[in-house]
Amino acid sequence: GMRFQTAEKLEEDTVISVDLILPKYNITTKAVVRRAIEMRETGMYSISVEFVDLSERDRDRIIGCVFNIQREMRKKGLV
């Protein structure tokens, strides 16, 4: 899954369409809202979702992208 911020409150169990724009790929998939928390300081909502019907290929692409980001952060001493 993933977490993002939005000005719009989304109710738990709502199914949404998600467009992930990665450096080498664009992935469109469905996701279910699992948690929506209002951030009082900003008035925004922190939304946690679970991907639905994500193919193994797209899952591997996301994992590869996350590993690359983590590798770059380690090189810069951020992690």
Side-chain angles (χ1 to χ4, degrees), residues 6-8 10 16 20 26 30-31 43-47 52 55 59 62-63 67 74 77:
T6 180
E8 182 180 347
L10 300 174
I16 62 173
L20 298 173
N26 292 341
K30 291 180 184 176
M44 301 283 285
Y45 293 90
S46 175
I47 307 294
V52 178
S55 72
R59 184 182 314 274
I62 293 168
I63 291 168
F67 283 161
R74 282 193 186 107

Side-chain angles (χ1 to χ4, degrees), residues 19-33:
D19 293 319
L20 298 173
I21 301 170
L22 306 176
K24 295 181 182 178
Y25 308 100
N26 292 341
I27 298 171
T28 300
T29 189
K30 291 180 184 176
V32 178
V33 176

Side-chain angles (χ1 to χ4, degrees), residues 56-73:
E56 279 300 315
R57 182 185 328 177
D58 287 341
R59 184 182 314 274
D60 289 343
R61 289 175 174 169
I62 293 168
I63 291 168
C65 180
V66 170
F67 283 161
N68 287 337
I69 291 168
Q70 289 175 337
R71 187 178 309 117
E72 290 301 316
M73 290 176 72

Side-chain angles (χ1 to χ4, degrees), residues 10-16 31-36 47-49:
L10 300 174
E11 297 296 326
E12 290 184 10
D13 298 323
T14 300
V15 177
I16 62 173
V32 178
V33 176
R34 294 298 180 203
R35 189 174 316 127
I47 307 294
S48 298
V49 298

